[in-house]
Amino acid sequence: MEVRSWHEEGCTVVHARGDLDVSGAPRLSEALDAVWSGADPPHLVIDLTEVPFCDSVGLGVLVGALNHVRETSGRLVLVVEPGMITHLLTITNLDQHFVTSPTVTAARTTMTTAA
């Protein structure tokens, strides 16, 4: 898994590419740890459009991020396209807890209009 992050328009964007599984999840977790150390409260967009697969470990990283953002009064938007991850969020009922968006641009708009 490749993870990169950058700041733009009042939020941090974290872009992941590759499988979010037991071997890739630690890379995303490390990137999120860097976000937590730099932003209070964190306003975070996680772009998962290039993540074809997510297992329970990856899902745990996403839920942990959501919990951290809620505890610090931040915001989190997941960028996802129809596919495996949206299906996973639906069958686990997590689609009721995560704010999702189809693009990073739309996620930034969601972030600023709901702030």
Side-chain angles (χ1 to χ4, degrees), residues 48-66:
L48 300 173
T49 56
E50 293 189 70
V51 176
F53 176 78
C54 179
D55 69 6
S56 61
V57 176
L59 193 59
V61 170
L62 297 176
V63 170
L66 179 63

Side-chain angles (χ1 to χ4, degrees), residues 5 8-9 14 22 28 30-31 35 39 42 51 54 59 73 77-78 80 82 84 90-91 96-97 104-105 109 115:
S5 63
E8 63 178 60
E9 298 182 26
V14 175
V22 69
L28 180 58
E30 288 172 11
V35 171
V51 176
C54 179
L59 193 59
S73 301
V77 179
L78 297 181
V80 293
M84 190 273 178
T90 301
I91 64 173
Q96 303 300 309
H97 301 277
V104 170
T105 301
T109 300

Side-chain angles (χ1 to χ4, degrees), residues 32-81:
L32 294 174
D33 286 344
V35 171
W36 309 148
S37 68
D40 191 35
H43 298 290
L44 179 63
V45 173
I46 301 177
D47 181 358
L48 300 173
T49 56
E50 293 189 70
V51 176
F53 176 78
C54 179
D55 69 6
S56 61
V57 176
L59 193 59
V61 170
L62 297 176
V63 170
L66 179 63
N67 289 336
H68 182 86
V69 167
R70 286 181 173 171
E71 290 169 3
T72 58
S73 301
R75 302 254 5 250
L76 171 64
V77 179
L78 297 181
V79 180
V80 293
E81 296 176 335

Side-chain angles (χ1 to χ4, degrees), residues 1 19-27 55 57:
M1 166 163 279
D19 291 340
L20 185 53
D21 57 11
V22 69
S23 64
R27 290 183 185 92
D55 69 6
V57 176

